[in-house]
Each structure stands twice: as C-alpha cells, then as structure tokens.
C-alpha cells in the first residue's frame, strides 16, 4: 500500500509552483490520519468530541483527520496499517485490530476481568497494566498512549435468553476473545464489518450481538432490530486504547504529545458518565428492548468457566501469566474491600 509519506512526496513533486508558495504556517501544519473502531453514530460520543477539541486547541500547528470503522482499512487491519504508517493513530481495543502482542487477548472484553468501568483505569494506573502495555507495544513500533473503559458486554438478541440452553447455536457478533470463551456455551461467534451488523440481524445472518451494553444498542440502531437484552454480562467494561505510530509520535513536540494525552483522558472521562448513566436509564426507561435474566445459580457456572479460561490464558506465556495474576489480585482486593467495590460472592 502507498504510505502517507510516499503519497505526500508524489503530490508535492507534481504540484504547480504557485501551490507550493502557500504561507509557511500552513505548510508546517502537522497532519495525522486517525481511524476509530466505531461507526459514525457511536463515534459521536466515543471519539469525535476529543478530536474536535484537539484540533481546536492545536490550530495551525496540528490537525487530525478522523475516519470511522473500516473507512480506510478493515478494523482487523488497523494495527498493521498503523505500524506501517499508513494511518498515524488508532482508537481501538487490542483484540479487534489483531494486535500481535502478548496482551491482545486482554483487550476488548476479557471475561469477568472487570465488574465496573472504574476497574479499568485502576488496573492500569495502580496495578501496573499501563507499564506492561507500553512495553509490549514498544516492541512492535507502536506508542500505547492510554487505556480507558467503555461499556459492559451484554447480549442483545432477537429471541429471549433466559437460560444457558437458549445460547445454543446462536450466531452472535462479538469480539475474538469473547467469542472464544462463549463458544463453550454453544454460541457461534461471527465476525463482520461493524456497519453490516444491523442488516445482518434483520436478514437472519445474525441472531444477536454481544458487543456492547444497552447504551450502544440504542445509540447505533441495534435496539431497533433486536427484541431482548440480557442483564447478565461477561465483563463490566470494555478495555479500549489510543495508539500511534511510534515514528509519528516521536516527531511531535512535547506539548502536542501532552495535548493528545489530555484529550484522550477527557474522552475516557466522558465515557465514564455517558455509559454509566445510559446503562441505568435505558434499562429503566428504554422502550425498545425487553430485559431478560439468567438465574444467578446458573450464571455462576459461567463465572467458574471464566476462572478456568484465565488459567488457560496464563499458561500461554510469561507475560500473559503476569497480567492474569494482576487481574486475580485486583479482584481479590476488591472482594475483600467489600461495598461499594464488590457486593459479595454474587457481585
């Protein structure tokens, strides 16, 4: 593929002399292309405000052009495109963009790795995950900028789910690791472009979605094509990140690096209250999805399976074992801390 740098060199060589005589400030503006995992409706909340803020503050010094899910490259190729420099920055989880790192399996929804959205920043900033992620991405030429929490992972389906037996044979759009875990309960994981999901549910290609919480279901239109929402979830918060090509990142002056980090943090903060409030409001006041629940005693078997899954992941490498141990220690600490951090064995 033609890289951005090669394209710009060719364009400059072919440009008329008059065009090259633009004001110096315009010529010196740093321009990045960034792609998010999210489609336009979701991006309006999870990324648009942050990039608009960055561009407004940076002004003529730097501008970021934002692209939505699959616009420049398929989501599964985001990492490779960023590593090559075809795309300068990415907002995604590790899992969806097929990151070739030891921590990829923990991105997105690692089964029962978190209970609440605040677990994610605490895990990264107080329990050491941030250092591990930065080390892993430095090995592959990518700058890990920051991690944040998104929504919990629930099923939105056409038919009601009231027991584990109801999951048998259901074709579900979900994340790679979540799909790997859920397949033991009869779920058939399906991977499709994000923008095709709504139509795939309408045509029967999909039976449902395990990609988000109820806020996204309403925001992106999935609540219009599904009928039921399962209140049990396999994770309390999606783990997503901001990344940049290492060379492009290293070229930025320190104040622009700081500005990018600040707007990323602002984006994380916005999602904390947007999702948290939305999940509650739409369960209570939403009029499109009927709530269903798998009884606690039955759902406990899913949590038990997650503990086995964790140990299977830990056995794959030393780094994965280190991350799993952090998850175990954190959850044990939260359980001992009690309310409001955890609410007993059935939290």
């Amino acid at each position: 593929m033609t890289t951005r740098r090669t394209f710009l060199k060719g364009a400059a060589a072919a440009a008329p002399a008059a065009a090259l005589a633009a004001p110096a400030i315009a010529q010196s503006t740093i321009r990045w292309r960034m792609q998010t995992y999210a489609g336009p409706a979701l991006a309006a909340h999870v990324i648009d405000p942050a990039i608009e803020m960055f561009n407004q503050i940076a002004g003529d010094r730097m501008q970021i052009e934002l692209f939505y899910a699959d616009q420049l490259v398929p989501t599964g190729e985001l990492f490779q495109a960023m590593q090559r420099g075809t795309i300068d920055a990415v907002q995604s989880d590790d899992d969806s963009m097929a990151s070739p790192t030891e921590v990829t399996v923990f991105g997105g929804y690692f089964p029962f790795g978190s209970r609440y959205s605040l677990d994610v920043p605490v895990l990264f900033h107080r329990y050491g995950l941030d250092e591990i992620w930065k080390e892993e991405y430095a090995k592959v030429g990518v700058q890990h900028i920051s991690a944040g929490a998104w929504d919990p992972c629930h099923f939105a389906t056409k038919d009601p789910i009231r027991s584990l037996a109801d999951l048998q044979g259901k074709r579900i759009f979900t994340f790679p690791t979540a799909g790997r875990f859920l397949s033991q309960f009869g779920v058939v994981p399906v991977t499709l472009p994000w923008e095709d999901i709504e139509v795939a549910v309408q045509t029967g290609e999909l039976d449902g979605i395990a990609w988000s919480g109820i806020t996204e279901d309403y925001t992106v239109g999935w609540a219009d094509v599904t009928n039921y929402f399962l209140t049990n979830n396999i994770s309390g918060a999606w783990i997503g990140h901001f990344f940049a090509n290492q060379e492009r990142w290293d070229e930025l002056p320190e104040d622009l690096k700081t500005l990018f980090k600040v707007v990323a943090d602002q984006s994380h903060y916005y999602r904390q209250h947007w999702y948290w409030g939305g999940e509650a409001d739409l369960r209570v006041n939403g009029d499109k999805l009927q709530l269903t629940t798998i009884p606690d005693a039955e759902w406990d078997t899913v949590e038990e399976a997650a503990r086995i899954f964790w140990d299977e992941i830990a056995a794959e490498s030393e780094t994965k074992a280190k991350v799993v141990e952090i998850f175990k220690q954190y959850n044990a600490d939260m359980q001992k801390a009690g309310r409001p951090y955890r609410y007993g064995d059935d939290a």
Side-chain angles (χ1 to χ4, degrees):
M1 292 179 66
T2 301
T3 66
R4 177 177 177 273
R5 176 170 288 181
T6 302
F7 174 80
L8 291 177
K9 283 183 178 178
L20 297 177
I25 186 66
Q27 288 184 350
S28 64
T29 300
I30 300 168
R31 298 190 181 277
W32 273 16
R33 296 198 300 178
M34 180 177 188
Q35 185 169 312
T36 176
Y37 74 98
L42 181 58
H45 292 279
V46 302
I47 186 64
D48 280 350
I51 299 307
E52 289 169 4
M53 182 184 300
F54 181 94
N55 288 341
Q56 180 180 5
I57 296 172
D60 287 340
R61 295 187 63 204
M62 182 171 176
Q63 291 290 292
I64 298 174
E65 184 177 8
L66 182 64
F67 296 87
Y68 302 129
D70 305 309
Q71 279 193 322
L72 292 179
V73 297
T75 297
E77 298 176 15
L78 275 177
F79 176 84
Q80 293 180 357
M82 174 174 52
Q83 188 182 45
R84 289 194 303 262
T86 307
I87 298 173
D88 302 298
V90 164
Q91 181 199 45
S92 178
D93 67 288
D94 317 75
D95 209 17
S96 297
M97 70 176 189
S99 167
T101 69
E102 290 293 314
V103 296
T104 295
V105 70
F106 304 105
Y109 292 119
F110 186 58
F112 297 97
S114 64
R115 300 286 182 173
Y116 310 115
S117 58
L118 278 173
D119 290 341
V120 174
V122 175
L123 280 161
F124 273 81
H125 296 294
R126 294 183 67 92
Y127 279 72
L129 293 191
D130 192 62
E131 291 81 0
I132 295 173
W133 256 250
K134 284 180 168 50
E135 289 173 4
E136 285 299 307
Y137 279 96
K139 297 175 185 177
V140 292
V142 166
Q143 174 70 39
H144 174 262
I145 298 169
S146 69
W150 274 250
D151 50 341
C153 184
H154 293 261
F155 285 86
T157 53
K158 296 172 75 172
D159 298 323
I161 305 296
R162 296 190 174 94
S163 71
L164 292 179
D166 292 333
L167 293 175
Q168 288 290 329
K170 292 291 188 295
R171 293 159 297 181
I172 301 294
F173 172 64
T174 190
F175 293 85
T177 298
R180 174 181 168 185
F181 173 70
L182 290 169
S183 62
Q184 65 187 289
F185 303 103
V187 169
V188 180
V190 178
T191 301
L192 291 169
W194 192 91
E195 290 289 355
D196 293 347
I197 303 309
E198 185 172 347
V199 173
V201 175
Q202 289 175 304
T203 61
E205 185 177 357
L206 289 174
D207 298 304
I209 301 152
W211 201 85
S212 69
I214 199 169
T215 304
E216 284 191 19
D217 291 333
Y218 274 76
T219 300
V220 306
W222 294 338
D224 298 322
V225 295
T226 55
N227 303 309
Y228 298 93
F229 180 84
L230 182 65
T231 60
N232 311 77
N233 65 56
I234 67 164
S235 176
W238 188 74
I239 301 176
H241 312 265
F242 288 89
F243 303 95
N245 174 277
Q246 192 65 60
E247 290 184 12
R248 300 291 83 74
W249 181 258
D250 291 342
E251 290 169 358
L252 291 184
E254 290 301 317
D255 62 332
L256 289 179
K257 291 179 182 177
T258 300
L259 176 59
F260 195 103
K261 292 176 183 177
V262 167
V263 298
D265 284 345
Q266 190 279 334
S267 178
H268 297 324
Y269 169 72
Y270 176 86
R271 285 190 309 277
Q272 288 280 358
H273 60 78
W274 183 64
Y275 278 123
W276 186 257
E279 297 301 304
D281 176 59
L282 290 170
R283 286 194 190 197
V284 175
N285 300 310
D287 58 1
K288 296 180 180 180
L289 295 173
Q290 181 178 333
L291 305 184
T292 63
T293 300
I294 296 176
D296 289 343
E298 190 175 3
W299 193 249
D300 285 346
T301 64
V302 181
E303 295 207 32
E304 291 168 6
R307 297 186 187 101
I308 297 171
F309 184 77
W310 284 20
D311 289 337
E312 292 172 354
I313 297 299
E316 293 177 356
S317 76
E318 183 178 341
T319 298
K320 290 178 181 177
K322 185 178 179 180
V323 174
V324 167
E325 186 56 36
I326 288 174
F327 275 105
K328 286 183 176 180
Q329 183 62 59
Y330 176 73
N331 278 279
D333 289 350
M334 296 300 104
Q335 195 70 37
K336 291 176 183 176
R339 298 174 185 267
Y341 302 96
R342 295 292 185 266
Y343 286 81
D345 293 337
D346 60 350

